[in-house]
Amino acid sequence: MYNRIFKLSDIKYMQRCLELAELGKGFVSPNPMVGCVVVDKNENIIAEGYHKKYGESHAERDALLKLKSNEAEGCTLYVNLEPCSHYGKTPPCVDLIIERKLSRVVIGMKDVNPQVDGISKLKSAGIDVTVGVLEEESKFLNRVFIKNMTQKMPYVVLKTAVTMDGKIGTKNGDSKWITSEESRKEVYKMREQFDCIMTSSNTVIADNPKMEHKFKCILDKNMRTSKNAQIYSQGEIYVATLNNTPLKDNNLDLEALLSKLYSKGICTVFVECGGTLSGALLKENLIDEIYQFIAPKILNDNSGLSCFNGDNINKISGAKVLNIYAIEKIGNDILLKASVLNN
């Protein structure tokens, strides 16, 4: 779609935009993460900015307002997402860019919000516009925003903790503790990055977890969980049952449930559950990413509980394909972060 031959300086400054944008992670939802760099005619950075918090200035405004009214004239502005052209919580960024008389704007990716048409407006004002610098990186950074905006659904990440032979527990359900204390502390930090924690009645009954969080969703079709369970002691709880969720193949309709959560303002969901729910979510193509903790342990028992148990596959070609984008060592465990490719 765009010319893929870009100047090295364009790539360098766009990379800086992405680094700045990351600083807004966890604070700007449901908005995208955006960073901005302003460079003078000698290719020196004269201002930087990023979107710090939902409702506050966008990255372009944050950067440009650090300069005097004439300091940006003839300069180049870099931003990882197309500047907005409509009124929302803040005025349109393109208006300020035009007002400050920048000569060039370099953009990572077009905005998927149909209300935004900043590129056309900039070009109409005579500003040179380059689009597509580090486009794939820009899209990956704002993958949550893209799914929210284009599908009107929350972004779903499944967390699993397994032995090296892929087991989440013994055949009688014992699962404490597969991973290290360091990994469990990492999970606590992960939860804070999501709008909702989702689990199943099976997990609540078997493990009685507390799962401290501001908002939790429990799938409990037949209302089997006790209100004395630890999970009910804290946070806002949404219990999905036969009374409030439609059925699909005699089970709760998971896609309908996620859509309902999105209508409640839930943009991201972190799933912690057993093999039945994780397998069902995977089979229905409702998982966007998997965070898998692998402990250096081998159960060596085919009767042990598997982390996915929701389909009947006869050929390897039917397997789900993932892209591992991060590998970390947490304590004595390995954490894999992977995107599900064939949703």
Side-chain angles (χ1 to χ4, degrees), residues 31 50-51 56-63 84 89-91 93:
N31 280 356
Y50 70 98
H51 186 29
E56 295 185 2
S57 293
H58 290 183
E60 303 93 318
R61 188 167 293 273
D62 185 46
C84 65
K89 294 283 184 181
T90 59
C93 290

Side-chain angles (χ1 to χ4, degrees), residues 281-299:
L281 286 165
L282 191 70
K283 181 179 180 179
E284 295 188 31
N285 301 316
L286 297 173
I287 298 174
D288 297 293
E289 290 186 34
I290 296 173
Y291 293 175
Q292 185 164 64
F293 290 87
I294 304 174
K297 300 174 182 177
I298 295 175
L299 195 61

Side-chain angles (χ1 to χ4, degrees), residues 31-231:
N31 280 356
M33 293 178 281
V34 184
C36 177
V37 174
V38 182
V39 176
D40 66 17
K41 296 172 186 177
N42 297 317
E43 296 198 344
N44 297 311
I45 295 177
I46 60 172
E48 295 183 334
Y50 70 98
H51 186 29
K52 295 178 173 65
K53 188 178 180 180
Y54 177 67
E56 295 185 2
S57 293
H58 290 183
E60 303 93 318
R61 188 167 293 273
D62 185 46
L64 289 172
L65 293 183
K66 292 174 181 175
L67 300 170
K68 294 177 183 177
S69 59
N70 63 342
E71 280 187 286
E73 187 173 341
C75 294
T76 299
L77 181 143
Y78 292 85
V79 64
N80 57 287
L81 184 71
E82 179 181 5
C84 65
S85 55
H86 64 291
Y87 280 87
K89 294 283 184 181
T90 59
C93 290
V94 290
D95 289 357
L96 183 60
I97 293 170
I98 294 167
E99 177 188 317
R100 292 298 178 97
K101 299 181 179 179
L102 284 105
S103 63
R104 182 173 181 241
V105 175
V106 181
I107 298 166
M109 63 169 282
K110 283 180 60 67
D111 198 325
V112 294
N113 184 345
Q115 289 184 282
V116 175
D117 190 22
I119 293 171
S120 295
K121 196 168 183 180
L122 291 170
K123 287 182 176 179
S124 296
I127 295 173
D128 180 26
V129 180
T130 299
V131 185
V133 178
L134 297 186
E135 184 177 31
E136 291 308 310
E137 291 86 346
S138 297
K139 287 180 177 179
F140 185 73
L141 176 70
N142 277 310
R143 57 199 183 277
V144 172
F145 170 73
I146 292 171
K147 183 180 182 184
N148 292 165
M149 183 61 62
T150 60
Q151 298 183 37
K152 305 302 179 187
M153 290 281 281
Y155 196 87
V156 179
V157 175
L158 172 76
K159 185 274 295 183
T160 67
V162 302
T163 61
M164 288 180 67
D165 51 345
K167 303 301 180 184
I168 61 171
T170 63
K171 55 193 167 191
N172 62 348
D174 182 47
S175 61
K176 293 185 178 179
W177 293 102
I178 289 175
T179 52
S180 63
E181 183 178 352
E182 292 92 336
S183 291
R184 295 195 294 276
K185 288 180 179 177
E186 185 68 20
V187 172
Y188 299 151
K189 290 190 288 185
M190 286 175 173
R191 289 172 181 166
E192 295 174 359
Q193 300 172 17
F194 292 82
D195 297 330
C196 171
I197 304 295
M198 177 181 284
T199 194
S200 66
S201 58
N202 287 341
T203 297
V204 173
I205 293 168
D207 299 339
N208 193 25
K210 193 168 186 178
M211 291 186 181
E212 291 191 354
H213 197 268
K214 59 188 176 184
F215 188 94
K216 291 173 279 193
C217 175
I218 304 169
L219 279 72
D220 190 0
K221 182 176 76 169
N222 297 310
M223 302 179 69
R224 299 187 301 131
T225 56
S226 168
K227 291 300 181 270
N228 294 321
Q230 287 193 97
I231 199 165

Side-chain angles (χ1 to χ4, degrees), residues 153 238 244-245 255-265:
M153 290 281 281
Y238 182 80
N244 58 23
T245 309
E255 186 172 4
L257 173 59
L258 288 168
S259 179
K260 189 166 190 176
L261 290 175
Y262 185 77
S263 72
K264 293 177 174 290

